Amino acid sequence: MCFFLQLFFETPVSAVEVLQLDIGDVASADWSARATRIELNLGSSGAIAARISAHEVTLGADAESWTDVTLSCPELEIAAAFARCPQLSITGTSANLGPQRLAGSAVFDARDQAAEITIEGGSVAGSALQLDAKLAGGRWQSQLDLPNIDLASLLALAARFLPDGEAGQADGSIGLKLSAEGTSSGPLAMSLAIDARGVTAGNASGTVATDAMSTKLQLNATRSNSAWQIRATQSGDAGQAYAEPVFVDLATQPQRAAIDAVLDLDRQTLEIASWEFEQPGMLSATGTATVVQTDEGFRLARLTANRVVAQLPEAFDTYARPYLFSTPFDALESAGAVEMRLLLNDGQPAAFSAFLDDVAIADKTGRFGLSGATGAVHWRDPAVAALLAPDWPGQSQIAWTAATLMQLPAGAAQIAFVAEAQDFRLTSPLELPLLDGELKINELEVLRAGAENMQLLLDAALAPVSLTELTTALGWPVFAGQIGGRLPSLSYRDGVVEVGGKLQAQLFGGNLQIGDLRVVQPLGNLPQLFADIRFTGFDLETLTETFSFGRITGHVDGEIAGLQMLQWEPVAFTASLSSTAKDSTKRRISQRAVENISSVSGGGAAAALSSGVMGFFDDFAYDALGLKCQLRDGICNMGGIAKAKSGYYIVRGKGLPRIDVIGYASQVDWARLLEQLKSIQESGPPTTGPSE
């Protein structure tokens, strides 16, 4: 090229009128040209018209091919070591971009080693092109502007270079501005601005998608030796975005993000000195990070979230709830605010803190809930945190104003604990007001939570709680009396809760013992309970008050063996109760109690009471009573204390007037039986006639 410029500069213009050079094929390390021709036309006015053409030009290592390429300059100005073309025209056909027509200008000054070129026009993925480049004083500058790239056309172009299906499909437009400057040693500064408008796109698997999304990106970078100082900002305020399973409506939840970082090419590290993310009214976060490049690719070596503020329920519903779908926790509701800190090391959590501000969280099904919660939750992996965050707090404490546990209302309380790695331990007893009593957890320790060899240690006691309040809260038939007791050692493994000893409680003036207690998936959608229950010395007078059943005095013993419950509803058991042996308590049964027993068991005493002298007595003495029920497939197989000539004795009378209650129904529908008991309870005691 220098030879041709020298030829132009030193050849007298009067020597020739037309100069045509057929050069043929030329090539360098970066480009090659075939059938190259240079033409100079010296007009009578002294103006020079220049034209360079090539049948084919190949650019770059990727062999971008152009055909029928022509560079024209109708008014080429040439002076000593200087050339200028104010009306440069370039035409040709790109194998990838199609026919192109560009216009611009160019200046070259050999004395100062300076050059300047401007090109505009053409079409790159549907967008016109504007390119400005300058070289002066050993420093170059360039700016590329593609204001309206059609995204569908861009991906069609990319598909030529990617494996089938990897380019994807999209609609929308992108504005792009790229500027750079540097020296012969390489670029020193770069700036990139992207304005994406109405982008609708998605990957083949459907895990990432946008709909009419608009977002802006600004990136500025400067280089010093091998390190690039980078500042990037991004914002989105229109359309929707989905990254499985999170969906964000940017029109109602606009967001912005920013990073300040140093990319060290020699060390192959990206040190993010500051990153920010914000969605006003929902979420804000700041922190630092370190990314390193290894043989396997890029790896997040460390991330610190110094301050994450989440407003509930907005942040919870957007970023947490999608991960809970089809889990036992997909019905959670939340309110309040949470400020968090997080430390990741090699992509794994090393420490976490959450500061609660009037937080409420509740399960819609009533399994659990918490309101008015304040305090701090801290967790750490001791092995990592000791090195990276030795001052990270270890003691956690939360206080709340009200709570719900398995549909039972609980009062204000506070809990203090330590959580490290997979372990959890109470550091002081938890005293939880429950109905009119109190649940006191003296010791609770969880080791290796989530592991197959997980262990749970629990020591708890329940101060007497009103059975009336307890059963009402659970939606069960209302019981009278109180319940209290001690919970022995408890373990949890593979989704199963087991009580190692026997649960003891005082109930209805007697003793209750629950053994072989197991609960499978207690917080799942289909919890199952298994147990064997025995009771002794239950006071019938207290017990029968529960159902307004009619007054019965005396005591009973009994059991519910092989109890199985599904979703907290009984599905199988073998139950029996009978009068306590050697009980010195007077045994009396009221007329109303006889009627109710007869109605639910198909007994034969109700007719006798409705006629004759028996109807004048309020109650009757009895020798013994008892009832059996074996529940299978929704049917109770019934029995009593002894066989009768026809049926079975439920109540065996004593003295005069004597009355026996005999059951004739050998099978009773369980659901119907419950409805009858509920009907008896709701009917209440009679308002006239005998009181019981």
Side-chain angles (χ1 to χ4, degrees):
M1 181 61 72
C2 292
F3 166 76
F4 293 118
L5 289 174
Q6 184 178 10
L7 178 66
F8 299 155
F9 295 153
E10 296 181 358
T11 301
V13 297
S14 59
V16 293
E17 291 185 359
V18 177
L19 177 63
Q20 178 175 305
L21 298 176
D22 289 318
I23 300 176
D25 298 342
V26 293
S28 73
D30 299 321
W31 61 275
S32 64
R34 294 177 53 231
T36 306
R37 172 180 292 180
I38 299 177
E39 299 179 29
L40 295 177
N41 191 335
L42 308 180
S44 57
S45 61
I48 302 175
R51 183 174 183 271
I52 303 176
S53 63
H55 176 67
E56 183 179 13
V57 176
T58 301
L59 305 173
D62 293 332
E64 164 69 7
S65 177
W66 288 65
T67 57
D68 300 326
V69 178
T70 300
L71 283 76
S72 300
C73 180
E75 297 182 1
L76 177 63
E77 301 176 15
I78 298 177
F82 176 85
R84 184 169 75 92
C85 178
Q87 297 180 15
L88 178 64
S89 173
I90 304 174
T91 61
T93 299
S94 165
N96 293 311
L97 301 178
Q100 300 291 314
R101 182 176 294 275
L102 304 168
S105 62
V107 176
F108 174 74
D109 190 336
R111 296 166 300 183
D112 298 328
Q113 292 295 303
E116 180 175 346
I117 185 170
T118 298
I119 297 176
E120 61 184 15
S123 178
V124 178
S127 176
L129 174 148
Q130 174 76 41
L131 175 64
D132 297 296
K134 295 181 181 180
L135 174 65
R139 193 180 187 94
W140 56 264
Q141 295 178 327
S142 63
Q143 179 171 312
L144 173 65
D145 187 4
L146 294 166
N148 194 30
I149 300 173
D150 179 70
L151 194 53
S153 299
L154 180 63
L155 292 181
L157 178 62
R160 302 184 182 187
F161 304 95
L162 297 174
D164 290 344
E166 288 194 10
Q169 295 181 342
D171 292 313
S173 63
I174 295 177
L176 181 147
K177 288 186 178 181
L178 174 64
S179 61
E181 59 181 277
T183 64
S184 58
S185 62
L188 297 175
M190 291 189 294
S191 175
L192 173 66
I194 295 177
D195 182 7
R197 302 174 294 272
V199 175
T200 297
N203 62 357
S205 63
T207 58
V208 177
T210 64
D211 181 27
M213 185 188 73
S214 295
T215 185
K216 294 181 179 180
L217 171 68
Q218 178 67 50
L219 184 147
N220 299 305
T222 57
R223 181 173 68 89
S224 176
N225 297 321
S226 66
W228 282 90
Q229 181 72 43
I230 300 171
R231 168 67 177 175
T233 61
Q234 178 271 333
S235 63
D237 58 5
Q240 292 83 40
Y242 175 77
E244 190 178 35
V246 175
F247 171 84
V248 177
D249 186 347
L250 295 173
T252 58
Q253 302 167 345
Q255 56 80 219
R256 70 171 190 87
I259 66 166
D260 284 296
V262 175
L263 175 63
D264 193 317
L265 300 178
D266 286 348
R267 297 172 56 196
Q268 294 186 314
T269 61
L270 176 66
E271 291 286 350
I272 302 176
S274 170
W275 59 262
E276 303 173 18
F277 179 86
E278 182 180 17
Q279 284 183 283
M282 178 190 295
L283 185 69
S284 64
T286 61
T288 62
T290 300
V291 179
V292 299
Q293 186 175 10
T294 66
D295 294 339
E296 291 77 26
F298 291 98
R299 176 175 60 86
L300 180 62
R302 188 175 304 170
L303 181 142
T304 301
N306 297 319
R307 188 170 186 263
V308 180
V309 179
Q311 302 296 329
L312 307 179
E314 293 83 3
F316 179 85
D317 290 345
T318 299
Y319 293 105
R321 186 181 300 283
Y323 292 96
L324 302 178
F325 290 148
S326 300
T327 74
F329 306 102
D330 61 359
L332 293 183
E333 293 181 324
S334 64
V338 181
E339 181 176 329
M340 294 170 282
R341 295 176 58 204
L342 174 67
L343 174 63
L344 298 181
N345 184 62
D346 285 335
Q348 300 299 316
F352 171 80
S353 291
F355 303 90
L356 312 183
D357 181 9
D358 194 22
V359 168
I361 187 163
D363 174 54
K364 291 181 181 179
T365 65
R367 290 175 297 177
F368 56 87
L370 205 65
S371 61
T374 58
V377 177
H378 303 292
W379 172 89
R380 61 186 179 182
D381 183 338
V384 180
L387 299 175
L388 303 180
D391 298 328
W392 203 283
Q395 177 77 26
S396 300
Q397 184 165 319
I398 308 173
W400 58 85
T401 58
T404 302
L405 180 62
M406 302 305 294
Q407 299 178 338
L408 302 178
Q414 64 179 20
I415 183 173
F417 60 91
V418 171
E420 293 186 337
Q422 294 175 276
D423 301 339
F424 172 95
R425 174 175 55 86
L426 281 183
T427 55
S428 62
L430 168 62
E431 299 176 351
L432 179 66
L434 190 65
L435 298 174
D436 60 340
E438 179 184 79
L439 175 63
K440 185 175 183 180
I441 302 177
N442 298 303
E443 181 182 1
L444 175 60
E445 186 172 6
V446 181
L447 304 176
R448 299 178 295 279
E452 288 188 4
N453 60 344
M454 169 182 166
Q455 292 183 6
L456 185 148
L457 304 175
L458 174 65
D459 178 67
L462 179 65
V465 171
S466 166
L467 272 173
T468 300
E469 294 191 25
L470 176 64
T471 52
T472 299
L474 293 174
W476 295 352
V478 177
F479 283 22
Q482 291 183 316
I483 183 173
R486 177 108 181 251
L487 180 67
S489 60
L490 182 148
S491 65
Y492 178 88
R493 182 174 181 178
D494 295 332
V496 179
V497 175
E498 292 187 274
V499 176
K502 296 185 183 297
L503 178 63
Q504 307 283 345
Q506 294 75 49
L507 185 66
F508 300 127
N511 295 308
L512 175 71
Q513 185 182 91
I514 303 177
D516 297 326
L517 177 60
R518 291 186 300 126
V519 183
V520 180
Q521 301 296 336
L523 297 177
N525 293 323
L526 292 172
Q528 300 178 69
L529 181 145
F530 303 87
D532 290 313
I533 302 173
R534 289 176 174 80
F535 54 89
T536 58
F538 274 16
D539 180 14
L540 277 172
E541 186 169 10
T542 302
L543 182 62
T544 52
E545 286 178 0
T546 298
F547 300 100
S548 299
F549 198 81
R551 182 171 177 267
I552 306 176
T553 62
H555 294 83
V556 292
D557 303 333
E559 68 175 0
I560 305 175
L563 173 63
Q564 298 180 32
M565 300 181 75
L566 181 64
Q567 288 186 301
W568 314 114
E569 296 288 341
V571 293
F573 59 73
T574 299
S576 65
L577 66 83
S578 59
S579 296
T580 301
K582 299 180 180 180
D583 178 19
S584 61
T585 305
K586 183 184 293 187
R587 297 180 179 180
R588 306 288 294 183
I589 181 168
S590 71
Q591 185 178 138
R592 176 174 171 79
V594 171
E595 292 174 345
N596 286 331
I597 291 175
S598 297
S599 69
V600 299
S601 63
L609 290 174
S610 63
S611 64
V613 297
M614 302 292 280
F616 292 101
F617 292 91
D618 292 341
D619 58 23
F620 309 91
Y622 71 92
D623 177 59
L625 59 75
L627 191 64
K628 298 177 181 177
C629 168
Q630 184 182 57
L631 177 63
R632 296 290 186 275
D633 300 323
I635 300 296
C636 254
N637 296 299
M638 306 295 293
I641 56 174
K643 289 184 178 181
K645 290 183 179 180
S646 177
Y648 48 88
Y649 282 101
I650 299 175
V651 179
R652 185 167 55 207
K654 177 182 179 182
L656 295 175
R658 172 175 175 144
I659 189 166
D660 296 324
V661 180
I662 298 175
Y664 296 109
S666 60
Q667 292 187 328
V668 175
D669 182 83
W670 172 249
R672 182 181 177 188
L673 178 60
L674 290 180
E675 285 297 321
Q676 288 179 308
L677 291 174
K678 183 178 180 182
S679 178
I680 292 171
Q681 179 188 18
E682 292 176 347
S683 66
T687 56
T688 61
S691 61
E692 292 284 349

